[in-house]
Amino acid sequence: MARTQPAVEADSPPNAATSVEDRQNLHSVVILAIAFFLIFTAYGVVQSLASSVLPYNIAFVSLGVLYFSFGFFNLILSAPVIESIGCRPSLFLGSITYVILEISYVVAILNDGKEYIQAAVLIPSSILIGLGASLLWTAQGTYISRAAGPSQKEGRYGGIFQAISGLASVLGPLMTSILFQANVNKVTVFSVLCVVGGLGCAMLIVIWLRPEPGSRDSEPPKPTNEELRETPLPVATAELSARETVPHTAASSSVASFEVPTSGSAGLLLDSAEGGTTAANVAAQRETSVSAKPPSPDSDAQGARMWSQIHRLLDTAKMIIHPRMLLLAPLFYTVAVEQAFSSGSLPLLIHTSNASQDLAHKLYLAAALGAADSITSFFIGPLTDRFGSVWLLSVNAVFHAATVAFLWGGSVENDLARLFGAAVLLGMCDSILLNQIYKLVPSHFSPVATPPPSPKEKLSEHVEEPGATETDEPREQPAAKPVGKSARKASVPPQPSTSVVPAFAAYRFHSSMTSGVFFLSSKAALGPGGFPRLEVWAPLVWALLVASWIGVLLAERWRARL
């Protein structure tokens, strides 16, 4: 006759509770994606038009400073701040800097022809947004990783986030193009973009008010009196309770066995019961008690906080040169180079005598790229979870070969059919590569990366062996659950932030530094007439793709051996 084990069954959460938590986490990811959609509907257009509405030297220098600042603050600040104040406040604070940069573009456009004023406004704003972007993107990656949790749905959640937020690359350029075709001036268009970005910041307040995935913002219900009576006390607690219930006798209340109360009247009463301890002895005992007190907890807490901040800085620095992070780094560099080419150089291949028509075509080109990115993201997440990153990188190489075929050979300037085909393929490549990053970074560096037990393993914990009877030897019962404050501490699962936050900060450091280098050197990669030189870009990206495939393969094999 099989026996039931209520205690073990109580420890395994019901499937219903897990599904409710998954739905809540998915809703949080969707809200986060909508906020990013609004923020980058504005910022994406601003970055795409930077080289069109500003002089080359101002546009590329400001973007280069932005990405170098992004990398610098990822190194020294993003992980400590996020681990100190949390993901949700970091998301909101980081988003505000994007609106500040968009306002600075309005000021720069108003001062057309005054490059010294444009530089004085845009370069400090670029440094500031580097700080904000380091908080925003590191917190975003950590938030999605926590939402995936032990279920290992990083690919699915990352794909959903990319699909929704990626719509900004479609609707932003289309909206801006409609405004320009309606003869709305640049200042008004960029002012509208500032308002849209501000709405995204407001959406992040909703995220701030929701519980953070992987944490317990609300305390669990306190145990009832019935549960407290049925739960055996730990040994130390039982001894303490027995000691407190012993009658207070003369032998047990000697001066050496109790702490003298701070109240003088109570002390004198105990002294008289003890047999005439003098007031001097009471004072001496108090002095001894005070001198025996441990150091102030405030000083210990300050020292602990200081060392914690130092360790957080060191964690990010160590993560940047972690062997597996270096194996994944070529993948980060590939994404950075392709994005720098797509947003900074590809639009320059459209250049005719009709400036307003060129501007509209550039926005449509960005919309085509964003649409391909967003649509691909809807499908790529489940494929990544199922087939793995090495296989998806092989598929990406095929799409990239098709991109080179569209752009290589013959003159591609102002050839809209080939440029739009290349933009669609670049959007698909960007979606595939970014999804691999959202999968690989948490799976390699998060403590929750261990796969959950299979249904068969869960079943084996509860099903008795055949032939078991009640006359068998009693099984060892599970340890008693703690109660009170210790129960609340034990109920909180280990947070992945201890390693996944520095991991995402390290990824953004590698990516942003590469973007900064290529934005600053974009002007040097331009050929006659201001068109990008494809003979420089194509071999570079191919070399990075091969290095990415090899690095991911080695990193995955390394993780499989752990």
Side-chain angles (χ1 to χ4, degrees), residues 20 26 117 119 163 185 196 217 224 232 288 340 367 389 394 405 438 480 518 530 540:
V20 169
L26 180 58
I117 296 180
N185 61 61
V196 174
D217 287 358
T224 62
T288 304
S389 296
S394 302
Y438 282 125
F518 280 93
L540 174 63

Side-chain angles (χ1 to χ4, degrees), residues 388-400 432 542 545 549:
S389 296
V390 175
W391 187 86
L392 266 299
L393 288 176
S394 302
V395 174
N396 176 77
V398 175
F399 288 128
H400 186 77
I432 295 172
W542 266 117
L545 281 173
W549 191 90

Side-chain angles (χ1 to χ4, degrees), residues 119-134:
V121 171
L122 286 175
I123 290 179
S125 299
S126 299
I127 296 173
L128 181 62
I129 199 177
L131 168 61
S134 69

Side-chain angles (χ1 to χ4, degrees), residues 10-360:
D11 287 343
S12 56
N15 291 333
T18 304
S19 62
V20 169
E21 184 178 0
D22 286 343
R23 284 198 299 271
Q24 291 176 345
N25 290 342
L26 180 58
H27 293 164
S28 297
V29 171
V30 170
I31 295 172
L32 180 67
I34 294 172
F36 272 62
F37 160 73
L38 294 171
I39 293 169
F40 288 94
T41 292
Y43 176 74
V45 173
V46 169
Q47 180 171 323
S48 297
L49 296 180
S51 58
S52 300
V53 300
L54 295 174
Y56 285 164
N57 57 329
I58 298 295
F60 285 130
V61 168
S62 64
L63 288 173
V65 169
L66 186 157
Y67 281 98
F68 276 122
S69 171
F70 186 17
F72 175 75
F73 287 115
N74 268 311
L75 173 63
I76 68 166
L77 202 63
S78 62
V81 170
I82 292 169
E83 290 188 337
S84 297
I85 67 176
C87 285
R88 295 167 298 170
S90 300
L91 288 167
F92 176 72
L93 295 175
S95 67
I96 295 174
T97 62
Y98 283 78
V99 180
I100 295 174
L101 181 71
E102 289 149 15
I103 294 173
S104 70
Y105 266 85
V106 174
V107 176
I109 294 172
L110 287 172
N111 290 274
D112 188 21
K114 302 176 181 178
E115 293 188 5
Y116 64 95
I117 296 180
Q118 293 175 330
V121 171
L122 286 175
I123 290 179
S125 299
S126 299
I127 296 173
L128 181 62
I129 199 177
L131 168 61
S134 69
L135 296 177
L136 186 78
W137 283 108
T138 303
Q140 173 263 349
T142 305
Y143 192 91
I144 293 178
S145 174
R146 290 178 178 176
S151 61
Q152 290 191 305
K153 296 178 181 177
E154 294 93 348
R156 178 193 175 198
Y157 285 7
I160 291 172
F161 175 85
Q162 280 181 259
I164 297 174
S165 62
L167 291 173
S169 301
V170 183
L171 298 183
L174 290 178
M175 178 190 72
T176 308
S177 179
I178 292 172
L179 292 175
F180 279 133
Q181 287 180 349
N183 295 322
V184 179
N185 61 61
K186 296 177 183 178
V187 174
T188 304
V189 171
F190 276 73
S191 300
V192 171
L193 294 175
C194 292
V195 174
V196 174
L199 293 176
C201 296
M203 281 291 295
L204 288 177
I205 298 178
V206 178
I207 287 289
W208 197 341
L209 297 177
R210 291 175 65 88
E212 187 161 328
S215 67
R216 297 293 184 268
D217 287 358
S218 58
E219 289 188 353
K222 295 182 179 180
T224 62
N225 292 333
E226 185 73 19
E227 293 173 339
L228 289 174
R229 283 195 296 269
E230 293 179 355
T231 305
L233 293 172
V235 176
T237 307
E239 291 179 355
L240 179 60
S241 300
R243 194 180 306 148
E244 290 175 348
T245 57
V246 173
H248 191 77
T249 62
S252 64
S253 62
S254 60
V255 173
S257 64
F258 75 100
E259 184 179 354
V260 178
T262 56
S263 171
S265 58
L268 290 176
L269 287 173
L270 289 173
D271 293 337
S272 60
E274 187 62 26
T277 305
T278 63
N281 288 338
V282 172
Q285 291 161 12
R286 289 177 180 168
E287 192 172 352
T288 304
S289 176
V290 171
S291 63
K293 286 184 178 179
S296 171
D298 292 338
S299 60
D300 292 343
Q302 291 175 358
R305 282 194 295 268
M306 181 185 70
W307 282 111
S308 176
Q309 295 294 333
I310 294 175
H311 281 298
R312 286 170 179 171
L313 290 174
L314 294 176
D315 283 344
T316 304
K318 291 177 182 177
M319 191 64 73
I320 289 172
I321 59 174
H322 190 285
R324 274 187 288 164
M325 184 64 72
L326 294 178
L327 287 175
L328 299 178
L331 177 60
F332 310 153
Y333 303 152
T334 304
V335 174
V337 171
E338 283 201 345
Q339 288 181 347
F341 176 77
S342 301
S343 61
S345 297
L346 186 65
L348 297 178
L349 291 170
I350 299 176
H351 183 72
T352 65
S353 57
N354 191 335
S356 61
Q357 186 178 15
D358 288 349
L359 197 59

Side-chain angles (χ1 to χ4, degrees), residues 451-463:
S454 65
K456 183 181 293 185
E457 292 172 341
K458 290 182 178 180
L459 187 62
S460 64
E461 295 177 358
H462 307 291
V463 177

